[in-house]
Amino acid sequence: MPSVIIWKHKGRDVQFKKDVRFVMLSNNYLQIRSIKRTDEGTYRCEGRILARGEINFKDIQVVVNVPPTVRARQTTVNATASMGESVTLSCEADGFPEPEISWTRRGETIEDEEDKFSYSDDGSEMTIHNIEKDDEAEYNCIAENKAGDSEATILLKVYAKPKITYVENKTAVELDNEITLTCEASGDPLPSITWRTATRNISEEDKASWTRPQKQETLDGRIEVQGHIRMSSLTLKDIQYTDAGEYVCVASNTIGQDTKAMFFEVQYAPKIKGPVVIYTWEGNPVNITCEVLAYPTAKVSWLRDGQLLPSSNSSNIKIYSSPFASSLEINPDSESDFGNYNCTAVNSVGQESSEFILVQAETPSSPNINRVESYSSTAMVEFEEPDSTGGVPILKYKAEWRNTQAETWQTSNFSARDESSESTITIGGLRPETSYVVRLSAINGKGIGEASLPFEFVTQPVREPSAPKLTGRVGDDGNSFKVVLIKQDDGGSPIRHYLVRYRAKNSADWKPEMKIASDSDHIMLRSLDWNAEYEVVVVAENQQGKSKAAFFNFKTTTKPTVIPANIGNYTVSSTSAALLALFVTVLFS
């Protein structure tokens, strides 16, 4: 008898008309098209023979496996190499059964390595440690289950600060046509390469030409810089010995920079320097120095009249050598020791000779007195230096003066080192309202020269003294100051004392006036304010009256931040500030 077949899903009749994906075949099989995860569950095939009232059924469990789908949280991840960075690549996967996730790079599965790669529990996150440039690649996240597999690609872009990979030291010979220094560097982004030396920044100098963006030439045309991908070359033309030295290549990009030096040696023939004419006198030893620049180091020889020195008949000659000079010491004992001496330097590149002349020094010519500024007891003599020093430095000036009614000259010597800058000397011990004559002579190592023509002057009557000159310095403790008094003309009458006043510039009140003995050469101002400007006024007084005022300004140092340590009568701070500039103004009113 015929039976009726009914299909149920989860206890409900399958609605063939409502969902066309369900089809009952001619053999009563149930076909599910485009199966979905929601189609999963228990299906019951129920058979009925209505005439007999018989019912039978069978349950079928359907499990739907869903192929994986996977997506990357970020399709591109950026990192920086050699900075100890770590990056995490992440993907999300769906499917049933739950897919297993693995990672590949360049077609090879990445194994779990704690020091380089590590994974989350479900494998969806892979962390790469200590990123290097070689880690840059496409990484594939693969999700796989019974129903199939799927993958997502993540690009790891690794940026790297520049690294200079090649430089080479070079050697050339002076006057060679050219030499090329090369610098190669890696990095991402591609680095730019610049050049500098200890004394010049070649890449930032004004350029004479830009024949194309990769080629630059300096204004003098001697240096050409060419740029290529990851490489730069610096070409030096018409090689000079001064080109030798350290050349620094600097590779830079947005991540950082790298610097590396190369050394360029220039071999060159000797070059001799030094004064050609040297003065001395009999019995006075002198050195004739032959300074030699050469690479490789040169051998230096001294000759006179073609004869190598020292010779058997030149016991008064000695030679002293150093890496860069040779000195011929001569102690002339007769006129024959004066004349020409030859210095010859030789190395593997070439040689050079130079003639040095030893000349008999003379005493200096006479100075010329321009004028005399007379006071009551002193006189300032202004003069022109001698036309000829005799070939050697002037050491002293000898001043001679006398009352025009007297025959005996008084004398005093003055150091040329102290006086020559101003070409003035001051003579003292004069009597007021008295006529004098003065003359000057210059003295060098050879002896005293001819005296100048006498110059007559008359001293002034007794009057008030001249204002003293003032100098000074901050004390070691920082808030004291030593004002140094330099006595000037006393006006023909002994100075009785100095009157001193001082105040802080921000104060309207002066400190009480101090009276300082006439033989004092300084005033010590103590317990001053820190970091404060002060002014000092000093007046000299004799029996005729007071001098014009001398003014002096100074500033104390900043208060130290460390507790000072007492040393003797002074306080010294380990952090005391630097002494500020001092300035002196002497006003006459």
Side-chain angles (χ1 to χ4, degrees):
M1 298 183 70
S3 60
V4 177
I5 303 299
I6 299 172
W7 285 94
K8 294 185 176 183
H9 179 219
K10 298 180 181 177
R12 295 181 179 181
D13 290 350
V14 174
Q15 302 295 320
F16 293 100
K17 291 183 179 180
K18 289 184 178 180
D19 194 339
V20 296
R21 295 183 305 111
F22 292 90
V23 177
M24 189 163 64
L25 303 177
S26 58
N27 59 1
N28 295 322
Y29 284 13
L30 178 64
Q31 184 183 67
I32 307 172
R33 299 172 182 171
S34 302
I35 195 166
K36 301 177 181 178
R37 182 70 187 276
T38 55
D39 298 330
E40 189 174 79
T42 302
Y43 287 80
R44 174 169 288 184
C45 177
E46 189 177 282
R48 297 179 180 182
I49 301 175
L50 298 177
R52 297 179 180 177
E54 294 178 359
I55 299 175
N56 197 7
F57 65 88
K58 186 173 183 178
D59 290 338
I60 301 170
Q61 188 71 28
V62 174
V63 177
V64 178
N65 291 328
V66 180
T69 58
V70 65
R71 68 179 183 85
R73 292 178 189 169
Q74 288 179 274
T75 56
T76 302
V77 177
N78 296 327
T80 304
S82 303
M83 302 288 287
E85 284 188 8
S86 297
V87 295
T88 299
L89 309 183
S90 303
C91 63
E92 297 175 348
D94 294 313
F96 189 83
E98 184 177 339
E100 293 183 358
I101 297 176
S102 61
W103 293 83
T104 66
R105 179 183 64 173
R106 301 185 185 108
E108 296 184 1
T109 301
I110 302 172
E111 303 296 337
D112 189 349
E113 303 174 18
E114 289 187 2
D115 59 340
K116 188 63 180 177
F117 301 98
S118 60
Y119 300 90
S120 61
D121 292 339
D122 62 359
S124 64
E125 294 184 348
M126 179 181 67
T127 300
I128 307 172
H129 304 281
N130 296 318
I131 294 294
E132 297 293 342
K133 184 62 179 174
D134 290 344
D135 294 323
E136 181 173 282
E138 288 187 343
Y139 290 80
N140 296 311
C141 173
I142 301 173
E144 189 173 9
N145 64 10
K146 294 178 181 180
D149 59 59
S150 180
E151 68 179 50
T153 300
I154 301 173
L155 173 62
L156 176 60
K157 179 64 178 175
V158 178
Y159 295 96
K161 72 176 185 178
K163 182 177 181 181
I164 295 175
T165 57
Y166 175 81
V167 294
E168 182 182 3
N169 297 333
K170 291 290 184 76
T171 300
V173 177
E174 188 176 31
L175 303 182
D176 279 354
N177 288 335
E178 63 180 42
I179 191 77
T180 298
L181 308 178
T182 302
C183 177
E184 297 179 8
S186 62
D188 193 353
L190 283 175
S192 63
I193 298 176
T194 56
W195 295 86
R196 60 179 170 82
T197 68
T199 57
R200 61 192 293 193
N201 193 330
I202 298 169
S203 296
E204 293 187 1
E205 292 181 2
D206 292 336
K207 304 299 185 297
S209 65
W210 294 75
T211 55
R212 51 183 181 273
Q214 295 83 12
K215 184 177 179 181
Q216 306 170 35
E217 191 174 84
T218 55
L219 291 174
D220 60 10
R222 292 190 56 248
I223 299 179
E224 181 182 283
V225 176
Q226 284 190 312
H228 311 278
I229 296 176
R230 302 182 187 278
M231 190 268 279
S232 178
S233 63
L234 183 148
T235 300
L236 289 157
K237 302 176 182 179
D238 302 325
I239 305 301
Q240 301 173 8
Y241 79 98
T242 52
D243 294 328
E246 181 182 77
Y247 286 75
V248 179
C249 165
V250 181
S252 307
N253 66 10
T254 55
I255 308 299
Q257 72 173 33
D258 190 21
T259 300
K260 193 164 285 189
M262 64 197 77
F263 295 90
F264 177 42
E265 291 184 345
V266 178
Q267 297 182 351
Y268 57 97
K271 303 177 188 300
I272 295 178
K273 296 183 176 182
V276 175
V277 179
I278 299 92
Y279 290 85
T280 190
W281 56 93
E282 292 177 16
N284 183 61
V286 69
N287 285 338
I288 302 177
T289 300
C290 180
E291 299 178 32
V292 180
L293 299 176
Y295 186 77
T297 303
K299 180 181 179 181
V300 180
S301 303
W302 286 94
L303 300 98
R304 190 176 192 204
D305 299 329
Q307 184 177 6
L308 189 66
L309 298 176
S311 61
S312 57
N313 58 352
S314 58
S315 59
N316 60 339
I317 294 178
K318 296 178 182 178
I319 296 176
Y320 300 94
S321 297
S322 69
F324 305 106
S326 178
S327 294
L328 188 70
E329 183 188 88
I330 304 173
N331 188 358
D333 53 21
S334 67
E335 187 65 32
S336 63
D337 290 323
F338 297 91
N340 288 19
Y341 290 83
N342 176 276
C343 173
T344 299
V346 180
N347 69 3
S348 59
V349 182
Q351 75 171 48
E352 181 170 314
S353 295
S354 181
E355 293 288 326
F356 294 83
I357 306 171
L358 185 62
V359 178
Q360 177 83 270
E362 302 293 339
T363 56
S365 60
S366 64
N368 182 53
I369 298 176
N370 291 329
R371 75 184 192 95
V372 174
E373 182 77 25
S374 64
Y375 303 97
S376 300
S377 60
T378 61
M380 184 176 68
V381 182
E382 295 183 6
F383 63 93
E384 292 179 5
E385 297 178 8
D387 293 333
S388 170
T389 66
V392 291
I394 293 175
L395 303 177
K396 299 177 183 178
Y397 286 98
K398 180 181 179 181
E400 299 175 279
W401 68 94
R402 62 177 175 83
N403 186 315
T404 54
Q405 304 302 316
E407 296 183 358
T408 304
W409 294 87
Q410 293 177 269
T411 65
S412 183
N413 290 336
F414 300 85
S415 171
R417 182 174 300 177
D418 296 335
E419 308 300 332
S420 60
S421 59
E422 297 180 0
S423 295
T424 61
I425 60 171
T426 299
I427 57 177
L430 307 180
R431 299 174 70 178
E433 298 183 274
T434 304
S435 177
Y436 286 89
V437 289
V438 61
R439 63 188 183 189
L440 293 180
S441 304
I443 302 172
N444 64 11
K446 179 73 181 287
I448 186 168
E450 184 179 351
S452 66
L453 295 174
F455 194 101
E456 188 170 342
F457 66 94
V458 178
T459 53
Q460 301 295 319
V462 174
R463 57 173 180 81
E464 301 86 358
S466 299
K469 287 185 178 181
L470 306 179
T471 63
R473 65 179 182 86
V474 174
D476 292 336
D477 57 1
N479 69 333
S480 64
F481 197 89
K482 181 178 182 179
V483 181
V484 177
L485 301 172
I486 303 174
K487 179 183 175 182
Q488 301 300 298
D489 186 78
D490 62 9
S493 175
I495 292 176
R496 292 177 173 178
H497 48 251
Y498 295 100
L499 303 176
V500 180
R501 292 188 303 156
Y502 72 97
R503 69 172 179 178
K505 282 195 172 183
N506 61 3
S507 172
D509 298 326
W510 291 87
K511 299 291 183 182
E513 185 175 76
M514 298 183 292
K515 187 178 290 187
I516 305 298
S518 61
D519 58 353
S520 297
D521 60 4
H522 73 276
I523 312 153
M524 200 70 194
L525 308 179
R526 301 183 184 276
S527 300
L528 304 175
D529 294 336
W530 294 101
N531 194 29
E533 292 186 5
Y534 280 85
E535 60 179 326
V536 181
V537 178
V538 180
V539 172
E541 186 173 11
N542 66 6
Q543 67 176 5
Q544 296 296 111
K546 296 178 181 178
S547 71
K548 295 173 183 178
F551 296 87
F552 188 75
N553 299 281
F554 66 89
K555 186 175 183 179
T556 54
T557 59
T558 303
K559 187 174 182 179
T561 57
V562 176
I563 297 174
N566 288 326
I567 304 175
N569 296 327
Y570 299 93
T571 301
V572 180
S573 167
S574 61
T575 60
S576 59
L579 174 63
L580 298 180
L582 305 175
F583 53 98
V584 180
T585 49
V586 179
L587 303 180
F588 299 97
S589 55

